[in-house]
Amino acid sequence: MAIAISAQHLDHYFGQGKLRKQVLFDINLEINAGDIVIMTGPSGSGKTTLLTLVGGLRSVQSGSLQVLGQELYGATAQQLTQARKHHGYIFQAHNLHGSLTALQNVKMGLELHQELSPAEMKARSIAILEQVGLGEHINYYPDDLSGGQKQRVAIARALVSHPRIVLADEPTAALDSKSGRDVVNLMQALAKEQGCTILLVTHDNRILDVADRIVSLEDGMLQQNAIVETV
């Protein structure tokens, strides 16, 4: 099976000089293409840092990190931008622009895809909003949507480009149990339909059952004995 994400001896530091602090220690992890992997661990354990490295939002400082076959250690800013074209992002705060409609927010997920015409961008954005059950809300602004609906827009924005990898950071943290379950089920269904890999950071034990695999980070170290395959 193809490997979507491969980290080997990955370290990461914040700060300079005497303030330099190591936050990731010798991370070794492989994630198969098409898998849903959930990463758990206490706050401050390095989960979001690892997620942003995989997503090309931070530069790799030490070790090796290959994403979709591309080595990110030593990658230029332009190469990282190109790598991000293959990713979709879902955050704890939906990060929607309040001055834009649901449709306009979703279209932002295609801004790196200059090969698409404006008409194609609009058609694809409407189609994915319909898939997430918001076909009648495409012209609504975030303030007119519920928390669950906002997160559905965020999912639509992440998946509209048909990414090969989806990175989700606490996507259910601000939602009640039913909305959280609905959101995760939706992510799971659409990702499987599109054949993409999901790496999801969460503290929410209620959604662990959607994972093909669960990994745990603690104090910046991957707890190898905590990696489990789910049925």
Side-chain angles (χ1 to χ4, degrees), residues 65-157:
L65 179 58
Q66 293 188 14
V67 179
L68 300 175
Q70 179 180 353
E71 176 59 62
L72 298 188
Y73 176 71
T76 65
Q78 183 177 10
Q79 288 171 328
L80 290 177
T81 298
Q82 286 300 309
R84 290 196 293 270
K85 289 182 68 173
H86 303 294
H87 304 156
Y89 301 90
I90 305 169
F91 302 98
Q92 174 177 344
H94 45 74
N95 286 2
L96 301 181
H97 290 263
S99 61
L100 301 180
T101 64
L103 176 59
Q104 291 168 330
N105 269 288
V106 172
K107 282 172 65 178
M108 291 190 68
L110 295 171
E111 62 184 3
L112 292 176
H113 295 265
Q114 300 301 318
E115 72 277 7
L116 297 175
S117 70
E120 288 174 313
M121 289 185 181
K122 182 177 181 180
R124 189 180 284 192
S125 299
I126 291 173
I128 193 74
L129 281 166
E130 289 174 344
Q131 279 188 277
V132 302
L134 292 175
E136 297 182 358
H137 296 74
I138 63 172
N139 293 317
Y140 282 48
Y141 290 90
D143 282 350
D144 299 319
L145 299 172
S146 69
Q149 288 172 330
K150 290 174 186 176
Q151 202 63 309
R152 285 171 179 261
V153 176
I155 290 172
R157 181 181 57 192

Coordinates of all heavy atoms in Angstrom, one line a residue, residues 65-157:
L65 N 10.8 14.3 6.4 CA 9.3 14.3 6.4 C 8.9 14.2 4.9 O 9.0 15.2 4.2 CB 8.7 15.5 7.1 CG 7.1 15.5 7.1 CD1 6.5 14.3 7.7 CD2 6.6 16.8 7.8
Q66 N 8.4 13.1 4.5 CA 7.9 12.9 3.1 C 6.4 12.9 3.1 O 5.8 12.1 3.8 CB 8.5 11.7 2.5 CG 10.0 11.7 2.3 CD 10.5 10.5 1.5 OE1 9.7 9.8 0.8 NE2 11.8 10.3 1.5
V67 N 5.8 13.8 2.3 CA 4.3 13.8 2.2 C 4.0 13.7 0.7 O 4.5 14.4 -0.1 CB 3.8 15.2 2.7 CG1 2.3 15.2 2.6 CG2 4.2 15.3 4.2
L68 N 3.2 12.6 0.4 CA 2.9 12.3 -1.0 C 4.1 12.2 -1.8 O 4.2 12.6 -3.0 CB 1.9 13.3 -1.5 CG 0.6 13.5 -0.8 CD1 -0.2 14.7 -1.4 CD2 -0.2 12.2 -0.8
G69 N 5.2 11.6 -1.2 CA 6.4 11.3 -1.9 C 7.4 12.5 -2.0 O 8.5 12.3 -2.6
Q70 N 7.0 13.6 -1.5 CA 7.8 14.8 -1.6 C 8.5 15.0 -0.3 O 7.9 15.1 0.8 CB 7.0 16.1 -2.0 CG 7.9 17.3 -2.1 CD 7.1 18.6 -2.5 OE1 5.9 18.5 -2.8 NE2 7.7 19.7 -2.4
E71 N 9.9 15.2 -0.3 CA 10.6 15.5 0.9 C 10.5 16.9 1.2 O 10.8 17.8 0.4 CB 12.1 15.1 0.7 CG 13.0 15.5 1.8 CD 12.6 14.8 3.1 OE1 12.7 13.5 3.1 OE2 12.2 15.5 4.1
L72 N 10.0 17.2 2.5 CA 9.8 18.6 2.9 C 11.0 19.2 3.6 O 11.0 20.4 3.7 CB 8.5 18.7 3.8 CG 7.2 18.3 3.2 CD1 6.0 18.6 4.1 CD2 7.0 18.9 1.8
Y73 N 11.9 18.3 4.1 CA 13.1 18.9 4.7 C 13.9 19.6 3.6 O 14.2 19.0 2.5 CB 14.0 17.8 5.3 CG 15.3 18.4 5.9 CD1 15.3 19.2 7.0 CD2 16.5 18.1 5.2 CE1 16.5 19.7 7.5 CE2 17.7 18.6 5.7 CZ 17.7 19.4 6.9 OH 18.8 19.9 7.4
G74 N 14.2 20.8 3.8 CA 15.0 21.6 2.8 C 14.1 22.2 1.7 O 14.6 22.8 0.8
A75 N 12.8 22.0 1.7 CA 11.9 22.5 0.7 C 11.9 24.1 0.8 O 11.9 24.7 1.8 CB 10.5 22.0 0.9
T76 N 11.8 24.7 -0.4 CA 11.7 26.1 -0.5 C 10.3 26.6 -0.2 O 9.3 25.7 -0.2 CB 12.1 26.6 -1.9 OG1 11.1 26.1 -2.8 CG2 13.5 26.1 -2.3
A77 N 10.1 27.9 0.0 CA 8.8 28.4 0.3 C 7.8 28.1 -0.9 O 6.7 27.7 -0.7 CB 8.8 29.9 0.5
Q78 N 8.4 28.2 -2.1 CA 7.5 27.9 -3.3 C 7.1 26.4 -3.3 O 6.0 26.1 -3.7 CB 8.3 28.3 -4.5 CG 7.5 28.1 -5.8 CD 8.2 28.5 -7.1 OE1 9.4 28.8 -7.0 NE2 7.5 28.6 -8.2
Q79 N 8.1 25.5 -3.0 CA 7.8 24.1 -3.0 C 6.7 23.8 -1.9 O 5.9 22.9 -2.1 CB 9.1 23.3 -2.7 CG 10.0 23.3 -3.9 CD 11.4 22.7 -3.6 OE1 11.9 22.8 -2.5 NE2 12.0 22.1 -4.6
L80 N 6.8 24.4 -0.8 CA 5.8 24.2 0.3 C 4.4 24.7 -0.2 O 3.4 24.0 0.1 CB 6.2 24.9 1.6 CG 7.4 24.3 2.3 CD1 7.8 25.2 3.6 CD2 7.2 22.9 2.8
T81 N 4.4 25.8 -0.9 CA 3.1 26.3 -1.4 C 2.5 25.3 -2.4 O 1.3 25.0 -2.3 CB 3.3 27.7 -2.1 OG1 3.8 28.6 -1.1 CG2 2.0 28.2 -2.7
Q82 N 3.4 24.7 -3.2 CA 2.9 23.7 -4.2 C 2.4 22.5 -3.5 O 1.4 21.9 -3.9 CB 4.0 23.4 -5.2 CG 4.3 24.5 -6.2 CD 3.1 24.8 -7.1 OE1 2.4 23.9 -7.6 NE2 2.7 26.1 -7.2
A83 N 3.1 22.1 -2.4 CA 2.7 20.9 -1.7 C 1.3 21.1 -1.0 O 0.5 20.2 -0.9 CB 3.7 20.6 -0.6
R84 N 1.1 22.4 -0.6 CA -0.2 22.7 0.1 C -1.4 22.6 -0.9 O -2.6 22.5 -0.4 CB -0.2 24.0 0.7 CG 0.8 24.1 1.9 CD 0.5 25.3 2.8 NE 0.9 26.6 2.1 CZ 2.1 27.1 2.2 NH1 3.1 26.6 2.9 NH2 2.3 28.3 1.6
K85 N -1.2 22.6 -2.2 CA -2.3 22.4 -3.1 C -3.0 21.1 -3.0 O -4.1 20.9 -3.4 CB -1.7 22.5 -4.6 CG -1.3 23.9 -5.0 CD -0.9 24.0 -6.4 CE -2.0 23.7 -7.4 NZ -1.6 23.9 -8.8
H86 N -2.3 20.1 -2.4 CA -2.8 18.7 -2.3 C -3.5 18.5 -0.9 O -3.9 17.4 -0.6 CB -1.7 17.7 -2.5 CG -1.1 17.9 -3.9 ND1 -1.7 17.6 -5.0 CD2 0.2 18.2 -4.2 CE1 -0.9 17.8 -6.1 NE2 0.3 18.2 -5.6
H87 N -3.5 19.6 -0.1 CA -4.0 19.4 1.3 C -5.3 20.2 1.5 O -5.6 21.2 0.9 CB -3.0 19.9 2.3 CG -1.7 19.3 2.2 ND1 -0.5 19.9 2.6 CD2 -1.3 18.1 1.7 CE1 0.5 19.2 2.4 NE2 0.1 18.1 1.8
G88 N -6.1 19.6 2.4 CA -7.3 20.4 2.9 C -7.1 20.5 4.4 O -6.6 19.6 5.1
Y89 N -7.6 21.6 5.0 CA -7.4 21.9 6.4 C -8.7 22.2 7.1 O -9.6 23.0 6.5 CB -6.5 23.2 6.6 CG -5.1 23.0 6.0 CD1 -4.9 23.4 4.6 CD2 -4.1 22.5 6.7 CE1 -3.6 23.3 4.1 CE2 -2.8 22.3 6.1 CZ -2.6 22.7 4.8 OH -1.4 22.6 4.2
I90 N -8.9 21.6 8.2 CA -10.1 21.9 9.1 C -9.6 22.2 10.5 O -8.8 21.4 11.0 CB -11.0 20.7 9.1 CG1 -11.4 20.2 7.7 CG2 -12.3 21.0 9.9 CD1 -12.2 18.9 7.6
F91 N -10.0 23.3 11.0 CA -9.5 23.8 12.3 C -10.6 23.8 13.4 O -11.7 23.7 13.1 CB -8.9 25.2 12.1 CG -7.8 25.3 11.1 CD1 -8.1 25.8 9.8 CD2 -6.5 25.0 11.4 CE1 -7.1 25.9 8.9 CE2 -5.5 25.1 10.5 CZ -5.8 25.5 9.2
Q92 N -10.1 23.9 14.6 CA -11.0 23.9 15.7 C -12.0 25.0 15.6 O -13.2 24.9 15.7 CB -10.3 24.0 17.1 CG -11.1 24.2 18.3 CD -10.3 24.3 19.6 OE1 -9.2 23.9 19.6 NE2 -10.9 24.7 20.6
A93 N -11.5 26.2 15.4 CA -12.3 27.4 15.0 C -12.5 27.3 13.5 O -11.5 27.2 12.8 CB -11.7 28.7 15.4
H94 N -13.7 27.3 13.1 CA -14.0 27.1 11.6 C -13.2 28.0 10.7 O -13.0 27.7 9.5 CB -15.4 27.2 11.4 CG -16.1 28.4 12.0 ND1 -15.9 29.7 11.6 CD2 -16.8 28.5 13.1 CE1 -16.5 30.5 12.3 NE2 -17.1 29.8 13.3
N95 N -12.7 29.2 11.3 CA -11.9 30.1 10.5 C -12.6 30.6 9.2 O -12.0 30.7 8.2 CB -10.5 29.5 10.1 CG -9.6 29.4 11.3 OD1 -10.0 29.8 12.4 ND2 -8.4 28.9 11.1
L96 N -13.9 30.8 9.3 CA -14.6 31.3 8.1 C -14.5 32.8 8.2 O -14.4 33.4 9.2 CB -16.1 30.9 8.2 CG -16.4 29.4 8.2 CD1 -17.9 29.2 8.2 CD2 -15.8 28.7 7.0
H97 N -14.5 33.4 7.0 CA -14.5 34.9 6.9 C -15.9 35.4 7.0 O -16.8 35.1 6.2 CB -13.9 35.3 5.6 CG -12.4 35.1 5.5 ND1 -11.5 36.0 5.7 CD2 -11.7 34.0 5.1 CE1 -10.3 35.5 5.6 NE2 -10.4 34.3 5.2
G98 N -16.1 36.2 8.1 CA -17.5 36.7 8.4 C -18.1 37.5 7.3 O -19.3 37.6 7.2
S99 N -17.3 38.2 6.5 CA -17.8 39.0 5.4 C -18.1 38.3 4.1 O -18.5 38.9 3.2 CB -16.8 40.2 5.2 OG -15.6 39.6 4.7
L100 N -17.9 37.0 4.1 CA -18.1 36.2 2.9 C -19.2 35.2 3.2 O -19.4 34.7 4.3 CB -16.8 35.4 2.5 CG -15.5 36.3 2.3 CD1 -14.4 35.3 1.9 CD2 -15.8 37.3 1.1
T101 N -19.9 34.9 2.1 CA -21.0 33.9 2.2 C -20.4 32.5 2.3 O -19.2 32.3 2.1 CB -21.9 33.9 1.0 OG1 -21.1 33.6 -0.2 CG2 -22.5 35.3 0.8
A102 N -21.2 31.5 2.6 CA -20.7 30.1 2.6 C -20.1 29.7 1.3 O -19.0 29.1 1.2 CB -21.9 29.2 2.9
L103 N -20.7 30.1 0.2 CA -20.2 29.8 -1.2 C -18.8 30.5 -1.4 O -17.9 29.8 -1.8 CB -21.1 30.3 -2.2 CG -20.7 30.2 -3.7 CD1 -20.4 28.7 -4.0 CD2 -21.7 30.7 -4.6
Q104 N -18.7 31.7 -1.0 CA -17.4 32.5 -1.1 C -16.3 31.9 -0.3 O -15.2 31.8 -0.7 CB -17.6 33.9 -0.8 CG -18.5 34.7 -1.9 CD -18.9 36.0 -1.4 OE1 -19.1 36.3 -0.2 NE2 -19.1 36.9 -2.4
N105 N -16.7 31.5 1.0 CA -15.7 30.8 1.9 C -15.2 29.5 1.3 O -14.0 29.2 1.3 CB -16.4 30.6 3.2 CG -16.2 31.7 4.2 OD1 -15.1 31.9 4.7 ND2 -17.2 32.4 4.5
V106 N -16.1 28.7 0.7 CA -15.7 27.4 0.1 C -14.8 27.7 -1.1 O -13.8 27.0 -1.3 CB -16.9 26.6 -0.2 CG1 -16.5 25.4 -1.0 CG2 -17.7 26.2 1.0
K107 N -15.1 28.7 -1.9 CA -14.3 29.0 -3.1 C -12.9 29.3 -2.7 O -12.0 29.1 -3.5 CB -14.9 30.1 -3.9 CG -16.1 29.7 -4.7 CD -16.9 30.9 -5.3 CE -16.0 31.6 -6.3 NZ -16.7 32.8 -7.0
M108 N -12.7 29.8 -1.5 CA -11.3 30.1 -1.1 C -10.4 28.8 -1.0 O -9.2 28.9 -1.1 CB -11.3 30.8 0.3 CG -11.9 32.2 0.2 SD -11.6 33.1 1.8 CE -9.8 33.2 1.8
G109 N -11.1 27.7 -0.9 CA -10.3 26.4 -0.9 C -9.8 26.1 -2.2 O -9.0 25.1 -2.4
L110 N -10.1 26.9 -3.2 CA -9.6 26.6 -4.6 C -8.7 27.7 -5.1 O -8.3 27.8 -6.2 CB -10.8 26.5 -5.6 CG -11.8 25.3 -5.4 CD1 -13.0 25.5 -6.2 CD2 -11.0 24.0 -5.7
E111 N -8.3 28.6 -4.2 CA -7.5 29.8 -4.6 C -6.1 29.4 -5.1 O -5.6 30.2 -5.9 CB -7.4 30.8 -3.4 CG -6.7 30.2 -2.2 CD -6.6 31.3 -1.1 OE1 -7.2 32.3 -1.2 OE2 -6.0 31.0 0.0
L112 N -5.6 28.3 -4.8 CA -4.3 27.8 -5.3 C -4.4 27.1 -6.6 O -3.4 26.8 -7.3 CB -3.6 26.9 -4.3 CG -3.1 27.6 -3.0 CD1 -2.5 26.5 -2.1 CD2 -2.1 28.7 -3.3
H113 N -5.6 26.9 -7.1 CA -5.9 26.1 -8.3 C -6.3 27.0 -9.4 O -7.4 27.1 -9.9 CB -7.0 25.1 -8.0 CG -6.6 24.0 -7.0 ND1 -6.0 22.8 -7.3 CD2 -6.6 24.1 -5.6 CE1 -5.7 22.2 -6.2 NE2 -6.1 22.9 -5.2
Q114 N -5.2 27.7 -9.9 CA -5.5 28.7 -11.0 C -5.9 28.1 -12.3 O -6.3 28.8 -13.2 CB -4.2 29.6 -11.2 CG -3.8 30.3 -9.9 CD -4.8 31.3 -9.4 OE1 -5.5 32.0 -10.2 NE2 -5.0 31.3 -8.1
E115 N -5.7 26.8 -12.4 CA -6.1 26.1 -13.6 C -7.7 26.0 -13.8 O -8.2 25.8 -14.9 CB -5.6 24.7 -13.7 CG -6.2 23.7 -12.8 CD -5.7 23.7 -11.3 OE1 -4.9 24.6 -11.0 OE2 -6.0 22.8 -10.6
L116 N -8.4 26.3 -12.7 CA -9.9 26.3 -12.8 C -10.4 27.7 -13.2 O -9.9 28.7 -12.7 CB -10.4 25.8 -11.4 CG -10.1 24.4 -11.0 CD1 -10.6 24.2 -9.6 CD2 -10.6 23.4 -11.9
S117 N -11.4 27.7 -14.0 CA -12.1 28.9 -14.3 C -13.0 29.3 -13.2 O -13.4 28.5 -12.4 CB -12.9 28.7 -15.6 OG -14.1 27.9 -15.4
P118 N -13.4 30.6 -13.1 CA -14.3 31.1 -12.1 C -15.6 30.3 -12.1 O -16.2 29.9 -11.0 CB -14.5 32.5 -12.4 CG -13.3 33.0 -13.1 CD -12.8 31.8 -13.9
A119 N -16.1 29.9 -13.3 CA -17.4 29.1 -13.4 C -17.2 27.7 -12.8 O -18.1 27.2 -12.1 CB -17.8 29.0 -14.8
E120 N -16.0 27.1 -13.1 CA -15.7 25.8 -12.5 C -15.6 25.9 -11.0 O -16.1 25.0 -10.3 CB -14.4 25.3 -13.1 CG -14.6 24.8 -14.6 CD -13.2 24.4 -15.2 OE1 -12.2 25.2 -15.0 OE2 -13.2 23.4 -15.8
M121 N -15.0 26.9 -10.5 CA -14.8 27.1 -9.0 C -16.2 27.2 -8.4 O -16.5 26.6 -7.4 CB -14.0 28.3 -8.7 CG -12.5 28.2 -9.0 SD -11.6 29.7 -8.5 CE -9.9 29.2 -9.0
K122 N -17.1 28.0 -9.0 CA -18.4 28.2 -8.4 C -19.2 26.9 -8.5 O -19.8 26.5 -7.5 CB -19.2 29.3 -9.2 CG -20.5 29.5 -8.6 CD -21.2 30.7 -9.4 CE -22.6 30.9 -8.8 NZ -23.3 32.1 -9.5
A123 N -19.1 26.2 -9.6 CA -19.9 24.9 -9.7 C -19.4 23.9 -8.7 O -20.2 23.2 -8.1 CB -19.8 24.4 -11.1
R124 N -18.1 23.8 -8.6 CA -17.6 22.8 -7.6 C -17.9 23.1 -6.2 O -18.2 22.2 -5.4 CB -16.1 22.7 -7.8 CG -15.5 21.5 -7.0 CD -14.0 21.4 -7.2 NE -13.6 20.9 -8.5 CZ -12.3 20.5 -8.8 NH1 -11.4 20.6 -7.9 NH2 -12.1 20.0 -10.0
S125 N -17.9 24.4 -5.9 CA -18.2 24.9 -4.5 C -19.7 24.6 -4.2 O -20.0 24.2 -3.1 CB -17.9 26.3 -4.4 OG -16.5 26.6 -4.6
I126 N -20.6 24.9 -5.1 CA -22.0 24.6 -4.9 C -22.2 23.1 -4.7 O -23.0 22.7 -3.8 CB -22.8 25.2 -6.1 CG1 -22.8 26.7 -6.1 CG2 -24.3 24.6 -6.0 CD1 -23.5 27.3 -7.3
A127 N -21.6 22.3 -5.5 CA -21.7 20.8 -5.4 C -21.3 20.3 -4.1 O -22.0 19.5 -3.5 CB -21.0 20.2 -6.6
I128 N -20.2 20.8 -3.6 CA -19.7 20.2 -2.3 C -20.6 20.7 -1.1 O -20.9 20.0 -0.2 CB -18.2 20.6 -2.0 CG1 -17.7 19.8 -0.9 CG2 -18.0 22.0 -1.8 CD1 -17.4 18.3 -1.2
L129 N -21.1 22.0 -1.2 CA -22.0 22.5 -0.2 C -23.3 21.7 -0.2 O -23.9 21.4 0.9 CB -22.3 24.0 -0.4 CG -21.2 24.9 0.1 CD1 -21.4 26.3 -0.5 CD2 -21.2 25.0 1.6
E130 N -23.8 21.3 -1.4 CA -24.9 20.4 -1.4 C -24.7 19.0 -0.8 O -25.5 18.5 -0.1 CB -25.4 20.2 -2.9 CG -26.0 21.5 -3.5 CD -26.3 21.4 -5.0 OE1 -25.8 20.4 -5.6 OE2 -27.1 22.2 -5.5
Q131 N -23.4 18.5 -1.0 CA -23.0 17.2 -0.4 C -23.0 17.3 1.1 O -23.4 16.3 1.8 CB -21.7 16.8 -0.9 CG -21.7 16.2 -2.3 CD -20.3 15.6 -2.6 OE1 -19.4 16.3 -3.1 NE2 -20.2 14.3 -2.4
V132 N -22.7 18.4 1.7 CA -22.7 18.5 3.1 C -24.0 19.0 3.7 O -24.1 19.4 4.9 CB -21.5 19.4 3.6 CG1 -20.2 18.9 3.2 CG2 -21.7 20.9 3.2
G133 N -25.0 19.1 2.9 CA -26.3 19.4 3.3 C -26.6 20.9 3.5 O -27.6 21.3 4.2
L134 N -25.9 21.7 2.8 CA -26.1 23.2 2.9 C -26.4 23.8 1.5 O -26.1 25.0 1.3 CB -24.8 23.8 3.5 CG -24.5 23.5 4.9 CD1 -23.1 24.1 5.3 CD2 -25.6 24.0 5.8
G135 N -27.0 23.0 0.7 CA -27.4 23.5 -0.6 C -28.3 24.7 -0.6 O -28.3 25.6 -1.5
E136 N -29.1 24.8 0.5 CA -30.0 26.0 0.6 C -29.4 27.1 1.4 O -30.1 28.1 1.7 CB -31.3 25.5 1.2 CG -32.1 24.5 0.4 CD -33.4 24.0 1.0 OE1 -33.7 24.5 2.1 OE2 -34.1 23.2 0.4
H137 N -28.2 27.0 1.8 CA -27.5 28.0 2.6 C -26.3 28.6 1.9 O -25.5 29.2 2.6 CB -27.1 27.4 4.0 CG -28.3 26.9 4.8 ND1 -29.0 25.8 4.5 CD2 -28.8 27.4 5.9 CE1 -29.9 25.6 5.4 NE2 -29.9 26.6 6.3
I138 N -26.2 28.4 0.6 CA -24.9 28.9 0.0 C -24.7 30.4 0.1 O -23.5 30.8 0.1 CB -24.9 28.4 -1.5 CG1 -26.0 29.0 -2.3 CG2 -24.9 26.9 -1.6 CD1 -25.8 28.8 -3.8
N139 N -25.7 31.1 0.2 CA -25.6 32.6 0.3 C -25.7 33.1 1.7 O -25.8 34.3 1.9 CB -26.6 33.3 -0.6 CG -26.3 33.0 -2.1 OD1 -25.2 33.0 -2.6 ND2 -27.4 32.7 -2.9
Y140 N -25.7 32.2 2.7 CA -25.8 32.6 4.1 C -24.4 33.1 4.5 O -23.3 32.5 4.1 CB -26.2 31.5 5.0 CG -27.7 31.3 5.0 CD1 -28.4 31.2 3.8 CD2 -28.4 31.1 6.2 CE1 -29.8 30.9 3.8 CE2 -29.8 30.9 6.2 CZ -30.5 30.8 5.0 OH -31.8 30.5 5.0
Y141 N -24.3 34.1 5.4 CA -23.1 34.5 6.1 C -22.9 33.7 7.3 O -23.9 33.2 7.9 CB -23.1 36.0 6.4 CG -23.0 36.8 5.1 CD1 -24.2 37.2 4.5 CD2 -21.8 37.2 4.6 CE1 -24.1 38.0 3.3 CE2 -21.7 38.0 3.4 CZ -22.9 38.4 2.8 OH -22.8 39.1 1.6
P142 N -21.6 33.5 7.8 CA -21.4 32.7 9.0 C -22.2 33.1 10.2 O -22.7 32.2 11.0 CB -19.9 33.0 9.3 CG -19.3 33.2 7.9 CD -20.4 34.0 7.2
D143 N -22.5 34.3 10.4 CA -23.3 34.7 11.6 C -24.7 34.2 11.5 O -25.4 34.2 12.5 CB -23.4 36.3 11.7 CG -22.1 36.9 12.2 OD1 -21.3 36.1 12.7 OD2 -21.9 38.1 12.2
D144 N -25.2 33.8 10.3 CA -26.5 33.2 10.2 C -26.5 31.7 10.2 O -27.6 31.1 9.9 CB -27.1 33.7 8.9 CG -27.2 35.3 8.8 OD1 -27.6 35.8 9.8 OD2 -26.9 35.8 7.8
L145 N -25.4 31.1 10.5 CA -25.3 29.6 10.5 C -25.0 29.2 12.0 O -24.4 29.9 12.8 CB -24.2 29.2 9.6 CG -24.3 29.5 8.1 CD1 -23.0 29.1 7.4 CD2 -25.5 28.8 7.5
S146 N -25.5 27.9 12.3 CA -25.2 27.3 13.6 C -23.8 26.9 13.6 O -23.1 26.8 12.6 CB -26.1 26.1 13.8 OG -25.8 25.1 12.9
G147 N -23.3 26.5 14.8 CA -21.9 26.0 14.9 C -21.7 24.8 14.0 O -20.6 24.7 13.4
G148 N -22.6 23.8 14.0 CA -22.4 22.7 13.2 C -22.4 23.0 11.7 O -21.7 22.4 10.9
Q149 N -23.3 24.0 11.3 CA -23.3 24.4 9.9 C -22.0 25.1 9.5 O -21.5 24.9 8.4 CB -24.5 25.3 9.7 CG -25.8 24.6 9.7 CD -27.0 25.5 9.7 OE1 -27.0 26.7 10.1 NE2 -28.1 25.1 9.1
K150 N -21.5 25.9 10.4 CA -20.2 26.6 10.1 C -19.1 25.5 9.9 O -18.3 25.6 9.0 CB -19.8 27.5 11.3 CG -20.7 28.7 11.4 CD -20.3 29.5 12.6 CE -21.2 30.7 12.9 NZ -20.9 31.4 14.1
Q151 N -19.1 24.5 10.7 CA -18.1 23.5 10.6 C -18.3 22.6 9.3 O -17.3 22.2 8.7 CB -18.0 22.5 11.8 CG -16.7 21.8 12.0 CD -15.5 22.7 12.3 OE1 -15.2 23.7 11.5 NE2 -14.8 22.4 13.3
R152 N -19.5 22.5 8.9 CA -19.8 21.8 7.6 C -19.3 22.7 6.4 O -18.7 22.1 5.5 CB -21.3 21.6 7.4 CG -21.9 20.5 8.2 CD -23.4 20.5 8.2 NE -23.9 19.4 9.0 CZ -24.3 18.2 8.4 NH1 -24.3 18.0 7.1 NH2 -24.8 17.2 9.2
V153 N -19.4 24.0 6.5 CA -18.8 24.9 5.5 C -17.3 24.7 5.5 O -16.6 24.6 4.4 CB -19.2 26.4 5.8 CG1 -18.4 27.3 4.8 CG2 -20.7 26.6 5.7
A154 N -16.7 24.6 6.7 CA -15.2 24.4 6.8 C -14.8 23.1 6.2 O -13.8 23.0 5.5 CB -14.8 24.5 8.3
I155 N -15.6 22.0 6.4 CA -15.3 20.7 5.7 C -15.4 20.9 4.2 O -14.6 20.3 3.5 CB -16.3 19.7 6.3 CG1 -15.9 19.4 7.7 CG2 -16.2 18.4 5.5 CD1 -16.9 18.5 8.4
A156 N -16.5 21.5 3.8 CA -16.7 21.7 2.3 C -15.5 22.5 1.7 O -15.0 22.1 0.7 CB -18.0 22.5 2.1
R157 N -15.0 23.5 2.4 CA -13.8 24.3 2.0 C -12.6 23.4 1.9 O -11.8 23.5 1.0 CB -13.6 25.4 2.9 CG -12.4 26.3 2.5 CD -12.2 27.5 3.5 NE -12.0 27.0 4.8 CZ -12.1 27.8 5.9 NH1 -12.3 29.1 5.8 NH2 -11.9 27.3 7.1

